[in-house]
Amino acid sequence: MNSTDRLQPLRTALAEITDLATAQANLHWDYQVVMPPRGAALRAEELATLETIIHERATAPALGTLLDEAADNLNGADPESDDASLVRVSKRDYDKAVRVPGELRSEMARAGALGHEAWVEARKQKDWAIFQPHLANMLELKRRYVDCFPDVDDPYDALLDDYEPGMKTSEVARVFEQLKAELVPFVAAITAKGDVVDASCLHGAGAFPRERQEALIRRVLSRIGFDPAGWRLDVAVHPFATGLGSQDIRITTRYDESHLAGAFFGALHECGHGLYEAGSDPALERTPLRGGTSLGLHESQSRMWENLVGRGRPFAGWVLPQLQEAFPAKFGDLDADGLYRAVNRVERSLIRVESDEATYCLHVILRFELEQDMLAGKVDLDELPEIWNERMRDYLGIEVPDVAQGVLQDVHWSEGIIGYFPTYALGNVIAAQIWAAVRSEEPDLDDRFAHGEFGPLRDWLRDRLHRHGRKFLPAEMIERVAGRPLDVAPYISYLKGKFGPIYGLAADR
Amino acid sequence: MNSTDRLQPLRTALAEITDLATAQANLHWDYQVVMPPRGAALRAEELATLETIIHERATAPALGTLLDEAADNLNGADPESDDASLVRVSKRDYDKAVRVPGELRSEMARAGALGHEAWVEARKQKDWAIFQPHLANMLELKRRYVDCFPDVDDPYDALLDDYEPGMKTSEVARVFEQLKAELVPFVAAITAKGDVVDASCLHGAGAFPRERQEALIRRVLSRIGFDPAGWRLDVAVHPFATGLGSQDIRITTRYDESHLAGAFFGALHECGHGLYEAGSDPALERTPLRGGTSLGLHESQSRMWENLVGRGRPFAGWVLPQLQEAFPAKFGDLDADGLYRAVNRVERSLIRVESDEATYCLHVILRFELEQDMLAGKVDLDELPEIWNERMRDYLGIEVPDVAQGVLQDVHWSEGIIGYFPTYALGNVIAAQIWAAVRSEEPDLDDRFAHGEFGPLRDWLRDRLHRHGRKFLPAEMIERVAGRPLDVAPYISYLKGKFGPIYGLAADR
């Protein structure tokens, strides 16, 4: 018996858990994309049942025994081999899962459901007081969750680890401090230039009929890697991507007939997630190693296709004739430089999900800081809306008119998702690191993009990142792909190199 | 503690099994309606995993104990109560499930997958020899399956019971003999009249654009009970209906732009299934009692809406103006009598699924007879195609040109589904019995239909049949709804009363 044969019982157990998780992901997709609305109550029960069964299996003592036996049977297999990685990563997952009592998980799930309901109402009424006690309760539960991991350096580490395995709060704080120090004055300098970028080509009442948007998006995505034999594109209120195995990738977008950028760049973004999901080595199918290694790495891929490719100058040159054909009234008289400038307009805005590349990270840093303070009990929750508003003033120079456009804008806290926000900004930072690496190895990428050839970038990403799935932790993966640890410099340099010229800033900015 | 409280542990266990079964049904729907083709291999694994987990739970000794305890705790509850029915029906399901060894189930599943593949190839090559050994193997497995139920009167009973619980082969044989004795000469008499019915309004190259068909169908179905808040209508290669709970009903149809009847009557048919699924008492949600009590009863509902309503004279009068508006070139000059005759054209045809009301049951009876002979080993499988062709000659007076249009036309045997066919014909018989009952109680139905009012029929069916779900066995249900046992007379009388006048047959026929 070789080590692979000896691992068969473990592989079978993990394959079943993976199948159940994929079924659960399919029910989530269905819920958000095709389910008739009256099905919601029963769907919640089904999802809860699947969650319970998955959790039972993922924490079963028998699985722990299989994992220990498998570790003994590796016989010095290369740590980078599929077998050794399967045992290592699954053991990490198992050890985390068994730390948290089932009751606490149930309490968190219930609190998340109630919190979400309260949040919807609070937003509608623009009344923070409706949501505040739910947030207080959620934080109390999160503290109990953190107590399950007594060996963390920082309480926030325990939350962050669920989304960015192995990442430390101190590391994120260091990176974010550097970002903030650069971005706050940079955004101020840009906005001081006034409204010098004309983005009117992207707006116009009813100017972008849905069918034309969709046809254009499908044409563009098919050049990037979307293939109807293994992908779907649908509409969802809250766009997302999901990989039901590497051969069934489902992305979503939403159309606004008066504004093109939302659906177009949203689809590029989700396509980036989809390529990561599609790119796992086929040998990892039906194992917990398939998929992306962290939310930050995942976001690096979506951001890369959305921004570094999709909002780049070569892409603008390639896509402009297609835009002109689809929407002649809006793009007929535009040149590629004009398009490039339009899709890179910077604006101090209230809403994170609508913000541009230059300001986005500041929205995230604000949340990261508040989450740590809340978890540590350093914030009087009564005052949270005002603290939020102050920081928006300090970081972005903008006044928040009400809580719906302020502290209540994101769904995350309502469902008890705390520790997730940093991954959005980390995605930007990591994307720029990978971008620098691939461009030094493949110097003709711009030229390829200008001809609509995206295969070289996609294949490079698959080879260096995607195919490894969850085999390596984020920190390891970043070093492998970018050749060095998490580093904010390439991102700052990218932003300055891009927005400096667009906004006519002095080169030393 | 009242008996309902005492049943809680059983209810919880059954609710989880039901949730898993609903998830499985959702994955099946997804597979057939929206899944990208390359997802098929992984989907098969997921479905197999869910099947295994459901089977484990449905046969767990702990469930048997809960069922026994629950039976003891019913304290003389009314046998028709939800509680007593839950225990009785679940106990019947459990006792059946534990009889069949897991290995045999796995072997049957594997043989079904291989058989299906061979069947596809055999049909393509019109070569019986490719499929024959698979059928032989399947029959051997079915005999082993029958051996798990040593107390049946007839081996075929064990197969039939999976689709029509409690129904006996002898009962079906009796009914089918009566049917055959009436239908063979009746069909001969009709077809002897020659091609006297003009159905050309339903045909025409490209005459029925898909969007118009769909809009018409949605309009018609919305009068019958289709509601987008709780239903979906999609396209599938093999149309079907599925109820993911009573608030999430999904039906499918397929469009042929040169032929209207397929999509239109197919949608009415699936809508009939959907109404049965939607009509279960809400108290039965998340229990094994929700849904239809048998395939025969289910088919009675689909056939009723498709044929007794949809191909009836009052419906023709109501729907004609809508057809004229949607397809003026085809229906502009037609009157309601002409439409009524067109949709009731009788034809000796080769393919069961395309056959009309008068000939349909003969296709089924032929299969029922062959299935019994095959199971009993009375047929040399080498000769099955020729035996098939002979009976087609005897029953329908038609020559079969090749096996693809003969013995290989149906998917069922390829997957090891034997004992299912009779339920199609039983559906017709039961539909006519229910039809007679509802019309005697609601004498103005024709008038209502002529005005597009289908609520009275739908509500009557819900009250008498749908709301009970699986609480009662088919035989009990038929007696409750129709006031008497399974009886072929109303169906014969319906067929003669309808097709006699259309084809100008003497009244005594």
Side-chain angles (χ1 to χ4, degrees), chain B residues 166-189:
Chain B
M167 185 73 75
K168 300 292 174 208
T169 309
S170 56
E171 171 91 345
V172 177
R174 181 182 62 76
V175 166
F176 282 8
E177 278 308 317
Q178 293 172 350
L179 265 180
K180 195 164 68 171
E182 293 281 356
L183 289 180
V184 171
F186 185 61
V187 168

Side-chain angles (χ1 to χ4, degrees), chain A residues 19 22 26-27 30 34 36-38 42-43 45-46 49 56-57 227 229 232 247-248 250 286, chain B residues 19 22 26-27 30 34-38 42-43 45-46 49 56-57 227 229 232 247-248 250 286:
Chain A
D19 287 342
T22 307
N26 203 152
L27 294 191
D30 186 273
V34 294
R38 286 209 312 255
L42 189 61
R43 178 55 46 90
E45 300 283 1
E46 291 153 18
T49 292
E56 272 169 21
R57 291 185 171 231
D227 170 2
R232 282 189 65 89
Q247 302 297 311
D248 184 351
R250 304 187 183 191
R286 294 188 81 215
Chain B
D19 287 342
T22 307
N26 203 152
L27 293 192
D30 186 273
V34 294
M35 192 187 75
R38 285 209 312 255
L42 189 60
R43 179 56 45 89
E45 300 283 1
E46 291 153 18
T49 293
E56 273 168 21
R57 291 183 172 233
D227 170 1
R232 283 188 64 88
Q247 303 297 312
D248 184 352
R250 304 186 182 191
R286 293 188 82 216

Side-chain angles (χ1 to χ4, degrees), chain A residues 23 48 73 75 110 131 136 206 210 215 241 255 266 297 381 383 405 509:
Chain A
N73 280 321
N75 299 327
R110 215 166 25 244
F131 179 61
R210 194 206 124 144
Y255 299 95
L297 263 302
L381 292 185
E383 293 167 13
Q405 294 177 80
R509 278 238 58 100

